[in-house]
Amino acid sequence: MFRNKLPFFRTASHRSQILSEYRRLLRQAKQFEDPVEQTYLWSWIRERFHYNKRQTSPSKVQIQLSDGVWASIIMTDALSGVESQKRLISDLAYGRTGYLKVVAQKVNEFYHPTKICQMIRDVRPRSSRIHQPNRAYWIPLDLRAFSVPQHLLDRIAQYDEQDRQRQIKRRERREQRLERELHNMTKAINNGNKALYESGLLPEAFTSTPEVAQSPRAIPGVSGNILWTPKIHNYQGDPPVVQHIRTSSGFELYKVNGRKPPHWLAVKVAASFRKLVRRVILHEFYFHIIDDLVLEEEFESRLGISDPGYWIYASNYRDYLRGKIKESSGISNIDAWNAFLAQNEELEEHDPESNEVH
């Protein structure tokens, strides 16, 4: 029997459970009145869920979910007015205890300015910085709760300005490269490269005037378009091509040659094939019974046995079986059903191995 090999962390129920817990914790964090505590809870809830979203161990997932439930209980008690829980969250957010206390001590020691500035810009542990290096996931040190020397703030501002200038230069280089490649395409098309024109990269965007090659931005339909000649890859085998495939069970899909289809698609194809096999077996069973009834009637007529009651019963039973075949095949149109039966009878007449009564 076919078994569903979909792992638990890819099931819809697991995803729904994780997302509901995530949203519930974020809503509870937003209910705190202190902005420092609210920012602290919201940031670290988000960081923990993003860090563990690729966890595949069932035992570790259950431990993390139980930690989330315990955090929800603590926040609920703090919102309801329990002093011990309110003091605990306040101490964690203001760095009087916990991980932020260690970060504040390192900032005050000032043993390495570059590392300290990086820690102020992103207080997450090293494993989280490696796991999610994107700046969108950074958690900066809250300056409303911690005091940072001014020279460190000036250095951080300098680092931010350098990053901004790097991004501007990177964007300018990309725009120049696209403009240069677009200019080369325009020049090649104006020189008579029909293959590039007919490729459809820039339809109805070029003219035969030589001034076009000198000013690609003046071409109608080109300004603002991010278009460039596709790079030539040296593939060891066939290049990737999207193929339209129709299986023997009638299942249609798009597939890239040489690539293994995803698991969910293979499960759907296997399910459609099993459904088709069951339908074919059922049809063969019904058709064999109909053939037996027809042969029995022919045999009785040749022997001279006249039993109208049995013939009526056999005819009604054959109609019943044909109705079953019609229901299982999903044919609702009468004309289509009659054409299906006529085709089946035609195949039986031309079949050399069909059973005949001699």
Side-chain angles (χ1 to χ4, degrees):
M1 184 177 178
F2 181 81
R3 294 180 58 189
N4 188 4
K5 296 183 179 180
L6 190 67
F8 79 97
F9 52 86
R10 294 189 184 277
T11 58
S13 59
H14 176 76
R15 177 182 175 83
S16 174
Q17 180 185 7
I18 297 298
L19 290 179
S20 62
E21 184 70 19
Y22 180 50
R23 295 191 185 101
R24 186 168 64 88
L25 290 173
L26 290 180
R27 283 195 294 266
Q28 285 184 330
K30 287 294 185 181
Q31 295 177 9
F32 283 82
E33 298 179 356
D34 191 346
V36 176
E37 296 177 359
Q38 185 183 115
T39 303
Y40 170 81
L41 293 172
W42 191 88
S43 301
W44 285 100
I45 290 171
R46 180 172 176 265
E47 192 275 334
R48 284 293 89 190
F49 272 87
H50 277 283
Y51 180 77
N52 295 309
K53 69 178 180 180
R54 292 184 177 86
Q55 185 61 253
T56 58
S57 173
S59 58
K60 291 183 179 180
V61 169
Q62 291 300 323
I63 291 174
Q64 291 155 7
L65 286 176
S66 61
D67 292 342
V69 172
W70 181 248
S72 176
I73 293 174
I74 293 177
M75 286 191 292
T76 303
D77 293 343
L79 291 171
S80 61
V82 179
E83 290 297 330
S84 60
Q85 307 298 348
K86 291 173 61 177
R87 194 182 313 112
L88 174 62
I89 294 177
S90 178
D91 292 343
L92 290 173
Y94 284 89
R96 289 188 288 268
T97 185
Y99 176 72
L100 292 184
K101 180 180 180 181
V102 179
V103 173
Q105 292 176 354
K106 290 182 178 180
V107 170
N108 294 327
E109 289 175 0
F110 186 62
Y111 65 95
H112 197 294
T114 304
K115 292 184 178 180
I116 291 300
C117 290
Q118 178 61 34
M119 185 176 296
I120 295 172
R121 299 166 80 191
D122 185 13
V123 299
R124 296 180 302 164
R126 185 172 180 272
S127 59
S128 298
R129 293 200 299 268
I130 295 174
H131 190 70
Q132 297 285 3
N134 195 301
R135 188 160 186 166
Y137 297 101
W138 286 10
I139 301 178
L141 190 66
D142 198 340
L143 301 181
R144 297 169 296 184
F146 299 92
S147 59
V148 178
Q150 185 62 36
H151 56 88
L152 292 179
L153 295 178
D154 296 339
R155 185 185 287 266
I156 291 173
Q158 182 182 358
Y159 290 158
D160 292 339
E161 181 64 23
Q162 291 176 358
D163 291 343
R164 193 176 67 85
Q165 293 297 330
R166 268 196 298 270
Q167 292 178 1
I168 293 175
K169 290 181 180 179
R170 191 182 301 116
R171 191 181 305 113
E172 290 177 354
R173 286 196 300 268
R174 184 171 63 251
E175 292 177 356
Q176 292 174 2
R177 177 176 59 84
L178 295 177
E179 184 176 353
R180 185 169 57 253
E181 293 175 350
L182 187 60
H183 174 77
N184 294 335
M185 289 174 59
T186 307
K187 191 173 181 180
I189 290 176
N190 291 329
N191 290 334
N193 190 338
K194 295 183 178 180
L196 190 60
Y197 178 76
E198 293 175 356
S199 62
L201 293 176
L202 296 174
E204 302 178 357
F206 298 95
T207 62
S208 58
T209 57
E211 291 81 6
V212 173
Q214 305 298 329
S215 57
R217 291 187 178 275
I219 302 174
V222 172
S223 300
N225 292 344
I226 305 176
L227 300 170
W228 60 89
T229 306
K231 296 181 180 179
I232 300 176
H233 298 275
N234 295 325
Y235 294 102
Q236 296 181 357
D238 297 332
V241 177
V242 178
Q243 300 172 340
H244 179 262
I245 297 176
R246 181 183 177 90
T247 63
S248 60
S249 60
F251 194 90
E252 297 185 8
L253 64 138
Y254 289 96
K255 177 181 176 294
V256 179
N257 65 330
R259 302 323 193 261
K260 185 178 179 181
H263 182 76
W264 62 269
L265 185 58
V267 170
K268 281 193 173 182
V269 173
S272 67
F273 182 75
R274 291 197 307 272
K275 186 177 179 180
L276 178 66
V277 168
R278 287 195 297 267
R279 183 181 297 173
V280 168
I281 293 174
L282 193 60
H283 284 198
E284 290 180 352
F285 175 72
Y286 288 150
F287 276 120
H288 284 319
I289 295 178
I290 292 175
D291 292 340
D292 292 340
L293 292 174
V294 172
L295 291 175
E296 192 171 352
E297 286 183 1
E298 293 179 358
F299 184 72
E300 289 184 357
S301 63
R302 291 189 180 187
L303 291 178
I305 301 175
S306 177
D307 190 356
Y310 174 75
W311 288 355
I312 294 173
Y313 164 77
S315 177
N316 294 337
Y317 191 57
R318 285 201 306 273
D319 294 338
Y320 169 76
L321 294 177
R322 289 194 180 97
K324 284 291 186 180
I325 297 173
K326 180 180 176 181
E327 291 177 4
S328 60
S329 61
I331 301 176
S332 57
N333 191 0
I334 300 299
D335 297 333
W337 172 247
N338 293 333
F340 173 73
L341 289 179
Q343 183 181 4
N344 184 65
E345 292 176 358
E346 198 174 315
L347 291 175
E348 290 179 353
E349 290 177 0
H350 295 291
D351 189 4
E353 298 181 358
S354 60
N355 298 325
E356 296 182 359
V357 178
H358 298 287

